[in-house]
Amino acid sequence: MIKKNNSRLVYFNGKLVPEADAKVSIYDSSLMFGDMVFEMTRSFNKKQFKLKEHIQRLYAGLKILQIPMHLTQDELEKACHETIEANESFFNDDDEHRLMIDISRGLLGIYHEIEGLHKGTNVIIADFPLKWTVASMGKLYDKGINAVISSQRNIPSSLLDNKIKNRSRLHYLMANIEVSSAKGDNNWALMLDPDGFITEGTGDNFFIIKDKKVITPEGRNILRGISRQYVMEEICSKLGLEVMEKNIESYDVHDADEAFMTGTPFCMLPVTSFNHLPIGSGKVGPIFNKMIRAWSDNVGLDIVNQIKGWSESNIKKTSAPTPYSFKK
């Protein structure tokens, strides 16, 4: 039975505990090696979107990294919904649930003799308002992102498979630190692979549009995003747009008509310039607008207006880095 309390609850190894008490040991393998797979989800009208697909990708990573997992996929999905239900009273009517699912290997063997520490895999599900992530992004639907190539290259899958969503992401942070020093506003990092082809952003997938064709980098040296897949298989199909995966060079971006990013929290964001040079007209393009409207129709709410509405929310500003940028 869940006890009444005044804070959100976190699913922590089979129990619902107050958010402030959900802690892993300093000897956990995730702290030592970044040895953790994770997923981040969102809801629309309080209903989780593509939760099964997120969990399926999570379990693929667990299998490859050989992290033991005692819960089945169905059991983990049930635990996600139990966590949401336990926290619903802490969410406003216009809030959406953002789940963070973390699975770590747990204590390294040499620390197992320490008393009082959980031994074995850690299964953690946190639930917090989506607006924390996207409240600052509303303006980007009008102005667009300036994508900036960082000198920090993406790690190729031959060295560390990007298709496993893991916490070893220092290269993302290094790219964000560098791009935070670029002139102007709305700068987001975009990384190349060792061969000079564009891969992805630091937590988002990249697309260009040329002659009404939607083009995205091959799914080789990138995280194959759930939103990326949804755009390719659902949105483009609905609108009759041809979509292809191919190697993209910087030249192709400069020559594109439009560009955009995809990611779970914001769905799609327009990219209107590349290294401070305009893409196409330099304004949000008509095909992007059709695509985001189609996504909104599919989920039964206006995605852009929802995020713009949160831009006025009373969220405390901080100088700490975010998943998408590093403050100057």
Side-chain angles (χ1 to χ4, degrees), residues 296-309:
S296 294
D297 291 342
N298 283 358
V299 297
L301 64 80
D302 190 319
I303 295 168
V304 174
N305 281 343
Q306 183 183 60
I307 294 177
K308 285 183 176 181

Side-chain angles (χ1 to χ4, degrees), residues 46 88 91-96:
K46 301 289 182 73
E88 180 58 42
F91 284 70
N92 296 325
D93 290 341
D94 69 336
D95 282 340
E96 299 286 1

Side-chain angles (χ1 to χ4, degrees), residues 242-261:
E242 181 180 350
V243 61
M244 64 179 69
E245 297 176 85
K246 59 179 288 188
N247 287 329
I248 297 175
E249 297 178 273
S250 293
Y251 176 89
D252 300 315
V253 184
H254 286 301
D255 192 45
D257 301 320
E258 301 180 37
F260 61 92
M261 297 280 200

